Amino acid sequence: MTFESLGLSEALLKAIVEQQYTAPFPIQEQAIPAILAGKDVQGIAQTGSGKTASFVLPILELFQRKKAARSLHLKVLILVPTRELAIQISEVINGFEQFLPKKVKNTPVFGGIPLNQQMVKLKNTEILVATPGRLLELVSTQSINLAKIEMLVLDEADKMLDLGFQEEVNQILALLPTKRQNILFSATLDTESKLIKDTLLCDPIRIEVEATEKNIDLIQQSAYQVDPERKGPLLRYLIKQKDMKQVLVFVSSVRTADNLVIKLKKNGIQAMAIHSKKTQGARIEALFSFKKGGIRVLVATDLASRGIDIQFLPFVINYELPRSPKDYVHRIGRTGRAEASGEAISLICPEDEHHFKIIQKKMGKKVTILPSDELNLTGM
Ligand code: AMP
């Protein structure tokens, strides 16, 4: 299938070429025509499936079809669970919008930075990408009016509930006009997101794509057995020996993240951490440097990693295993994205072995475990 066959205009098709997308991904094939037809859509799709463009493209197309002299009020609300995802979606919109003849302003808003810094940017915004808490703050200070919203997108709805945003989402839904188009994306169809689905969607078109298994097959997975005291040296050895230029390292605590960064830097490896104790500015800066190749290593905790989207990230290392198999799949899914292959390596201490067996069982894939005691780690 081609983008031409999905009902997009010449202007959008040009922008798509500029972004070097050649053919639509399965989620885009199904979602774009449905959204253009004004239908409610329920998509079950993971990050990496191309879900962002599947709603961004038709939204921009609908703006291109509007009268040139339209009034500049808020028309589309995209609700997301994290600041990183808000920024990322806004960047995807900008990526296409810059090539379009009719301009559409989008603004990302999220907590962690002063409210008035965001208030001043809202003028003439037609697409708002927001986290729930910050959105409600902006509503309560009357900086934003939701009365003329024509379309609501709820992205990563399951995470929104995992992070405890149910009440905020309900409050926001109550503020929206009842007549509107709704798009809901969720990685899983569990009970809670079904709850949202039932209250939110009207006769939706349901789209499900199998992203995980396909992506997992593209990822080369391995693990090293290692004693706890040799973990740091082994990490640095792998980074150097494999000449990793861009690697995302996962840890389970803020303290480990900060310690790792100190040790990596001491050993001449540029690194930054991204976790909940960092300010919003520091998180954005770390992500930006990492994306642009200014640092080789980004050390992240699970929550901070939500929404990190880097095209063709080649390496992910689990310095510490996550608690749940679901998080393991989510972590390694940061690599091997958009049909590019990637490598995921886990460091397994003796006490992790049982847990790692469970992860492999749940994932339905066996991971080769290599010994590390014969590796010469001196000087690492
Ligand atoms: P998402 O699932 O929206 O986070 O997208 C995953 C990645 O796929 C992003 O890096 C996109 O830039 C990329 N992508 C999305 N759609 C396409 C496409 N049709 N062709 C090539 N790359 C794409």
Side-chain angles (χ1 to χ4, degrees), residues 84 274 283-291 298 308 310:
E84 282 76 15
I274 181 165
R283 287 161 73 166
I284 294 173
E285 191 200 321
L287 200 54
F288 185 77
S289 308
F290 186 57
K291 278 191 180 181
L298 186 66
I308 292 181
I310 296 146

Side-chain angles (χ1 to χ4, degrees), residues 3 21 23-25 28 46-52 309 311 337-338:
F3 278 111
Y21 286 15
F25 288 175
Q28 295 159 0
Q46 265 94 4
T47 316
S49 58
K51 67 181 167 58
T52 315
D309 170 40
Q311 228 170 342
R337 314 193 56 207

Side-chain angles (χ1 to χ4, degrees), residues 100-274:
L100 297 176
K102 285 190 199 164
K103 295 295 148 198
V104 190
K105 180 171 167 190
N106 88 82
T107 308
V109 292
F110 39 81
I113 63 171
L115 197 62
N116 49 7
Q117 261 183 40
Q118 288 177 341
M119 276 152 80
V120 293
K121 295 193 178 145
L122 291 170
K123 193 163 182 255
N124 292 343
T125 295
E126 292 183 274
I127 304 175
L128 190 72
V129 192
T131 54
R134 179 46 57 102
L135 179 69
L136 286 171
E137 283 178 281
L138 289 167
V139 169
S140 71
T141 53
Q142 297 183 341
S143 316
I144 259 176
N145 183 353
L146 301 177
K148 291 186 179 168
I149 292 287
E150 296 165 15
M151 187 193 289
L152 169 72
V153 180
L154 242 135
D155 196 15
E156 306 205 350
D158 49 341
K159 254 177 242 164
M160 201 106 71
L161 297 176
D162 276 356
L163 295 173
F165 284 132
Q166 170 94 61
E167 203 173 303
E168 282 92 340
V169 172
N170 288 344
Q171 282 178 41
I172 293 164
L173 291 180
L175 295 169
L176 300 177
T178 43
K179 193 176 166 299
R180 57 168 202 264
Q181 188 175 1
N182 298 295
I183 321 284
L184 181 137
F185 278 100
S186 169
T188 53
L189 181 63
D190 49 27
T191 16
E192 288 91 337
S193 38
K194 190 169 175 304
L195 209 128
I196 287 198
K197 192 206 101 184
D198 292 341
T199 49
L200 186 78
L201 299 171
C202 170
D203 190 19
I205 294 196
R206 194 162 172 275
I207 302 171
E208 189 160 3
V209 293
E210 298 166 23
T212 330
E213 279 159 39
K214 220 167 101 203
N215 279 355
I216 281 191
D217 285 339
L218 284 167
I219 300 164
Q220 196 189 321
Q221 293 187 59
S222 62
Y224 283 91
Q225 275 168 329
V226 60
D227 288 330
E229 66 277 8
R230 274 166 60 92
K231 263 182 151 181
L234 177 60
L235 173 71
R236 299 189 286 275
Y237 170 88
L238 291 170
I239 293 171
K240 290 182 179 168
Q241 190 243 354
K242 288 179 178 275
D243 194 22
M244 297 179 183
K245 300 267 190 292
Q246 203 184 31
V247 51
L248 182 59
V249 174
F250 281 103
V251 295
S252 40
S253 75
V254 168
R255 223 174 100 211
T256 315
D258 288 337
N259 285 341
L260 262 193
V261 168
I262 294 171
K263 294 241 175 69
L264 286 165
K265 282 188 177 161
K266 261 197 191 144
N267 283 276
I269 300 170
Q270 280 315 309
M272 282 181 163
I274 181 165

